[in-house]
Amino acid sequence: KNEVEQSPQNLTAQEGEFITINCSYSVGISALHWLQQHPGGGIVSLFMLSSGKKKHGRLIATINIQEKHSSLHITASHPRDSAVYICAGASGSRLTFGEGTQLTVNP
Amino acid sequence: SQTIHQWPATLVQPVGSPLSLECTVEGTSNPNLYWYRQAAGRGLQLLFYSVGIGQISSEVPQNLSASRPQDRQFILSSKKLLLSDSGFYLCAWSVGWSGAKNEQFFGPGTRLTVL
């Protein structure tokens, strides 16, 4: 069983919809990273959080340490948000990655 | 500003041939460096990380090796490639040492196909 579980695996939305991607993690993970991978493969770090909530533009990330759960929200989704979103748990010197969520936003 | 380079961008190699992928970082000193692999349809997997010149930690047993001959250079190698080595290889760096709690910055990646 992976230490980091993401859901859903695939998500299709219409432009403008509110998107939520969920991530659950196991004991021993002290921080959560959210990454975005574009079709060409390039990866961009979106957030790193160990408590509370962070916001950047239309993206919001939250983490609940007691429940070992994090969510990534996208407000007013746009086709350019289409990508794979990956959560990764930090434990010691290593990151453990979820399988990723393929998001497709249709115009 | 900091930048990270990887080359080559794509590579097709026969089984049993050697491999050398290079990663260099500019604009920062003493970064932590990481090699990841993403196999087709699978998540990212940490292969190696380095906290300094000549210091390499291996996460998974395999026929790959890593070296850090200079502060901002990280090399991934193999003496004999296997079919299972095919995948997308990503180099990343982070600042400071609080484990993986620092933000990591990823290179553009190398897509390796072993035939």
Side-chain angles (χ1 to χ4, degrees), chain A residues 30-31 33 35 37 39-46 48 50 86 89-95 97-99, chain B residues 34 36 38 41-46 49 59 88 90 97-108 111:
Chain A
S30 57
H33 297 247
L35 310 171
Q37 185 171 29
I43 291 181
V44 174
S45 175
L46 299 175
M48 196 286 293
S50 53
I86 303 168
S91 176
S93 56
R94 59 195 292 269
L95 288 180
F97 295 84
E99 296 286 330
Chain B
Y34 308 84
Y36 294 97
Q38 187 177 42
R42 304 187 67 179
L44 283 158
Q45 180 185 40
L46 177 65
Y49 70 92
E59 286 294 302
F88 189 57
L90 285 151
W97 187 240
S98 59
K101 288 181 70 175
N102 286 328
E103 183 178 8
Q104 294 192 13
F105 302 91
F106 290 81
R111 195 161 302 279

Side-chain angles (χ1 to χ4, degrees), chain A residues 3 12 30-31 33 42 46 48 51 56 66 79-80 82 89 97 101-102 106:
Chain A
E3 296 172 24
T12 301
S30 57
H33 297 247
L46 299 175
M48 196 286 293
S51 65
H56 182 69
Q66 286 74 29
R80 65 174 174 266
S82 298
F97 295 84
T101 295
Q102 173 68 63
N106 295 318

Side-chain angles (χ1 to χ4, degrees), chain B residues 31-86:
Chain B
N32 298 326
L33 296 172
Y34 308 84
W35 276 113
Y36 294 97
R37 177 171 61 200
Q38 187 177 42
R42 304 187 67 179
L44 283 158
Q45 180 185 40
L46 177 65
L47 300 176
F48 301 95
Y49 70 92
S50 171
V51 302
I53 296 174
Q55 300 179 63
I56 308 295
S57 295
S58 175
E59 286 294 302
V60 292
Q62 58 214 322
N63 70 323
L64 299 171
S65 62
S67 62
R68 186 170 177 174
Q70 301 180 47
D71 180 45
R72 289 169 286 180
Q73 184 185 31
F74 205 22
I75 297 172
L76 183 69
S77 305
S78 174
K79 292 182 180 178
K80 287 186 178 181
L81 284 169
L82 305 172
L83 286 174
S84 58
D85 291 324
S86 294

